Amino acid sequence: MFGKILIANRGEIACRVIRTARRLGVRTVAVYSDADARALHVEMADEAVHIGASPVGESYLRGDRIIAAALATGAEAIHPGYGFLSENPDFVDQVTAASLVFIGPSAASIRAMGLKDAAKRLMEQAGVPVVPGYHGVAQEIVLLASKAREIGYPVLIKARAGGGGKGMRRVDHPDDFSEALSGARREAKAAFGDDRVLVEKYVDKPRHIECQVFGDNFGNAVHLYERDCSAQRRHQKVIEEAPAPGMTPELREAMTEAAVKAAKAIDYSGAGTIEFIVDASEGLKADRFWFMEMNTRLQVEHPVTEMVTGVDLVEWQLRVAAGEKLPKTQDEIKLAGHAFEARLYAEDAAKGFLPATGTLHHLKFPDAAAEGAAIRIETGVRSGDMISPFYDPMIAKLVVHAMGRNAGLAALREALVRTEIAGSTVNTAFLAALVADADFAAGDVDTGLIGRHQDALVAIPAPSDEAIAAAALAATDAGAPGPAADPWSSLVGYAHFHMLARRIRLRYGEEDILARVSARPDGRFQVALEAPHDAINAHDLRTLPRTARWPGHVTVFEGAVGHTFAAPDPLAKADEAAAATGSLRAPMPGLVKLVRATAGDAVIKGQPLLILEAMKMEHTIAAPHDGVVAEIAAEGAQVSDGTVLVRFSEDGQG
Ligand code: ADP
């Protein structure tokens, strides 16, 4: 086994690799960019090396600097994680040339699977079923169109260099072929610098089922069963599970056999995934699955396989790369129970899954599973960390394991409800809605399910009056319940000293809500809400919805939904005082939407200077006093917490 390895990645996967390495007594070296200087993976590793600026092109994709860091720290091997350099054969060559070990397959194996057309030709030769289609070299429009007609519509045009669903077009009618082809080519050229395409049959009611395979350097290859990743939005996986619901023994046998055949055909070493597309229009049939592509790395969703097989895939990666044989034979790998993984993202599901940024002011994951289930949280962030625009906005993967699928679903739902995140827009409610979707719950999934049910899945229920009342209470800053068993009585001290009644203005989306919080003689509170909401008598509430107070906001957790209210912050007064010293800072990360003043302008107190868009809301930033603007943020600028938005000139201050 290695004495020390370097992890050429960041976030949850870097943390996950470090954990296994540590358990095996292997020391770890992390690498990090400017934005990640204080990241969790840096803290967890034994050593860390700075490799450049925040953009990935200047850090995590800089193979030369990563190799130099490995050599400088005496690491013997490099684990690439997923993404970044994990499937770059040139990087593998450079690692090997530097006398280091790449923890993954050979450059030759990666190259063999790198382009979809060549990979499909190779798989056809190896006797692996491939989606009927054209994978040839010639690319004339007339030829491609006639191939499409031969295959039969609907067809799918795919970029041969494709990934992440880019350069892919479904075509239903011959008349639309040439336009779809130009679109796919344009996108492929822009994304991959390669506009060659393949054309294949569009599979009806497609399910994405993939097989985990593992090879060593002694010619052995095994499979670790399948994962179902059909719950996708825009070809991106959302919730993955193992085993596949409705899997039949016949299909499993045919599919796992084909997967091992595929791995052996390229002398595969390490962890790999063979992705298949399955026609589920008439249930799962052993002759209706086809090879789609091979991912020559560890997958994001590998934990579900680990949960149902009890195998630590990262441990196997390290052992195999260090020259050991596969730790288990095929017969020794058993399948037990059912596992789900939900990908928690900072994104706005209702706005087309727009990636979000922000500081995770409040972050709490369930610390134990539902009864009869196990839970695993894979994350690379802590409370207070920032989701920056530089990297994938994944916050965590919630992984659960239970004896059966229904118990697993219940455990996943509970895990989502008990997850609390405030400070960024997140997809928790969307994930919970998907778990509750009747078709998903029944295991009747296909890749179009999320798209068909999208409106219902992304709809966020309005906050209840109790939730609004809890927000109002929290906004009085008596809200943080503290250790008292009865949150309402914990407010007493505050009330006695500071208020008998207080009016609070909250903003929820476009709605302004006025609440009156009053202390009652019995030491309890009443929250009266403006119509159409009700008056809530604090003592009538059995349980106070959980809340998190963060700068300028309160988030109330109701079910799996986090309702965020903008609320005046007592601390804002301190900010105003700070502003008087000459500058206005962004209260949270956001986008400068509109700028209403320029340097040199004399402005008066209260005059709107710019509009900051953050947390789905527009915030008008007004002059805190009369003065002369010395400097102002540019329209369209992305700003982080605390960035100076407006600077006033010293002598211009009133
Ligand atoms: P990428 O490499 O861009 O992710 P894939 O070939 O892996 O592209 O396909 C991504 C997704 O597109 C699959 O998971 C599946 O949902 C869908 N898909 C791919 N091929 C077909 C097909 N022939 N018919 C129907 N859907 C397909």
Side-chain angles (χ1 to χ4, degrees):
M1 183 48 64
F2 306 112
K4 191 193 269 191
I5 63 169
L6 178 142
I7 295 109
N9 216 301
R10 62 177 304 282
E12 66 89 15
I13 192 60
C15 298
R16 192 254 165 277
V17 173
I18 291 170
R19 264 197 304 277
T20 288
R22 178 174 300 159
R23 186 170 59 73
L24 298 177
V26 176
R27 275 167 297 134
T28 53
V29 181
V31 291
Y32 64 94
S33 66
D34 286 350
D36 281 339
R38 288 199 304 268
L40 184 59
H41 74 283
V42 172
E43 183 187 291
M44 283 176 67
D46 296 311
E47 290 168 72
V49 180
H50 177 248
I51 49 165
S54 306
V56 294
E58 291 167 49
S59 49
Y60 297 105
L61 288 177
R62 286 294 300 264
D64 54 340
R65 292 190 187 162
I66 290 169
I67 290 170
L71 294 173
T73 52
E76 298 134 72
I78 296 182
H79 192 300
Y82 53 72
F84 297 137
L85 295 165
S86 62
E87 291 181 286
N88 182 329
D90 298 335
F91 177 65
V92 178
D93 282 337
Q94 287 150 18
V95 169
T96 317
S99 300
L100 298 165
V101 176
F102 179 76
I103 302 175
S106 67
S109 296
I110 298 177
R111 285 199 180 97
M113 290 295 184
L115 294 172
K116 290 183 202 287
D117 55 350
K120 282 184 177 165
R121 290 197 297 264
L122 186 71
M123 289 299 105
E124 259 172 343
Q125 283 162 21
V128 175
V130 167
V131 189
Y134 171 74
H135 318 126
V137 178
Q139 295 282 304
E140 292 78 29
I141 298 193
V142 201
L143 173 87
L144 294 175
S146 85
K147 290 288 177 193
R149 203 161 300 128
E150 255 171 57
I151 295 163
Y153 282 87
V155 298
L156 193 65
I157 302 173
K158 274 188 190 180
R160 66 164 191 160
K166 289 203 187 82
M168 200 144 70
R169 291 281 190 288
R170 175 188 163 148
V171 195
D172 292 305
H173 195 271
D175 291 349
D176 305 327
F177 187 82
S178 85
E179 200 183 320
L181 178 66
S182 348
R185 279 183 171 162
R186 251 194 327 270
E187 211 169 285
K189 185 84 191 164
F192 316 109
D194 178 345
D195 66 359
R196 273 162 65 176
V197 298
L198 41 149
V199 183
E200 58 186 39
K201 179 81 193 150
Y202 185 84
V203 175
D204 225 20
K205 196 162 186 199
R207 270 176 69 175
H208 173 124
I209 305 183
E210 58 185 33
C211 242
Q212 176 72 52
V213 292
F214 225 104
D216 64 17
N217 298 318
F218 302 91
N220 303 306
V222 295
H223 70 81
L224 292 98
Y225 305 96
E226 79 280 357
R227 294 183 286 259
D228 194 307
C229 313
S230 302
Q232 303 182 347
R233 49 120 181 130
R234 289 211 216 111
H235 305 301
Q236 307 261 355
K237 297 164 186 170
V238 175
I239 293 182
E240 303 97 338
E241 59 182 301
M247 184 51 118
T248 62
E250 295 76 28
L251 177 59
R252 177 173 290 144
E253 195 182 318
M255 189 181 263
T256 53
E257 190 190 306
V260 172
K261 221 189 252 177
K264 286 197 166 153
I266 56 165
D267 294 321
Y268 198 75
S269 168
T273 295
I274 317 285
E275 294 188 338
F276 295 104
I277 188 151
V278 177
D279 175 347
S281 56
E282 293 169 43
L284 297 182
K285 297 253 160 64
D287 59 353
R288 300 224 187 140
F289 77 98
W290 301 279
F291 170 86
M292 214 164 25
E293 66 171 348
M294 177 171 190
N295 291 320
T296 51
R297 53 166 161 83
L298 193 68
Q299 301 269 100
V300 175
E301 61 273 22
H302 76 276
V304 293
T305 296
E306 297 186 318
M307 295 300 246
V308 294
T309 59
V311 167
D312 179 335
L313 291 169
V314 173
E315 176 180 345
W316 280 30
Q317 285 189 298
L318 297 187
R319 292 198 183 284
V320 163
E324 294 180 30
K325 285 194 169 157
L326 283 179
K328 283 187 176 178
T329 63
Q330 189 67 66
D331 289 345
E332 291 168 338
I333 304 168
K334 303 269 189 261
L335 191 59
H338 204 102
F340 285 97
E341 172 185 278
R343 300 188 186 192
L344 259 178
Y345 274 97
E347 66 179 16
D348 193 338
K351 280 199 188 148
F353 302 99
L354 197 70
T357 55
T359 299
L360 303 172
H361 287 284
H362 177 90
L363 181 67
K364 207 166 138 196
F365 296 115
D367 47 17
E371 208 180 299
I375 189 165
R376 193 169 136 186
I377 311 289
E378 294 290 342
T379 186
V381 290
R382 299 154 295 202
S383 198
D385 282 354
M386 193 159 144
I387 299 296
S388 77
F390 298 110
Y391 315 111
D392 182 65
M394 187 156 75
I395 296 172
K397 306 187 301 203
L398 299 187
V399 188
V400 297
H401 182 228
M403 277 327 289
R405 189 170 189 272
N406 287 339
L409 274 176
L412 182 57
R413 173 168 165 80
E414 195 178 321
L416 287 164
V417 167
R418 280 165 34 206
T419 296
E420 298 175 7
I421 304 172
S424 182
T425 308
V426 293
N427 67 342
T428 326
F430 164 68
L431 293 171
L434 180 57
V435 168
D437 179 277
D439 289 342
F440 185 78
D444 186 13
V445 284
D446 66 85
T447 61
L449 178 121
I450 290 180
R452 287 193 301 275
H453 299 188
Q454 184 145 331
D455 291 347
L457 293 175
V458 303
I460 302 279
S464 67
D465 288 346
E466 283 80 4
I468 299 172
L473 261 171
T476 64
D477 238 29
D486 177 355
W488 302 94
S489 56
S490 75
L491 306 178
V492 170
Y494 181 88
H496 278 217
F497 293 112
H498 299 273
M499 67 169 187
L500 280 176
R502 195 169 150 192
R503 290 162 75 78
I504 297 288
R505 186 176 291 280
L506 300 170
R507 197 168 162 81
Y508 183 79
E510 302 294 304
E511 190 189 3
D512 271 317
I513 302 167
L514 207 58
R516 205 166 139 269
V517 178
S518 43
R520 295 158 22 128
D522 61 1
R524 303 222 166 201
F525 284 81
Q526 188 191 53
V527 181
L529 301 174
E530 218 178 28
H533 307 287
D534 285 335
I536 303 289
N537 287 310
H539 70 283
D540 291 340
L541 284 177
R542 296 267 149 122
T543 47
L544 180 68
R546 298 156 293 157
T547 60
R549 185 81 166 105
W550 50 286
H553 298 83
V554 175
T555 299
V556 182
F557 302 101
E558 200 169 31
V561 186
H563 292 294
T564 292
F565 297 81
D569 190 338
L571 295 175
K573 290 209 172 57
D575 284 350
E576 273 168 34
T581 63
S583 56
L584 271 174
R585 291 173 186 276
M588 69 200 96
L591 171 77
V592 177
K593 206 143 173 227
L594 200 72
V595 175
R596 295 245 189 95
T598 50
D601 283 1
V603 296
I604 54 163
K605 183 175 172 183
Q607 180 178 334
L609 300 180
L610 58 82
I611 291 179
L612 183 70
E613 189 187 64
M615 292 297 302
K616 294 199 239 176
M617 287 176 279
E618 290 189 350
H619 305 264
T620 301
I621 308 288
H625 49 68
D626 296 357
V628 174
V629 174
E631 217 180 316
I632 189 158
E635 214 162 275
Q638 281 283 354
V639 295
S640 54
D641 247 350
T643 304
V644 173
L645 294 173
V646 187
R647 202 184 291 286
F648 296 95
S649 57
E650 299 281 316
D651 48 0
Q653 272 185 49

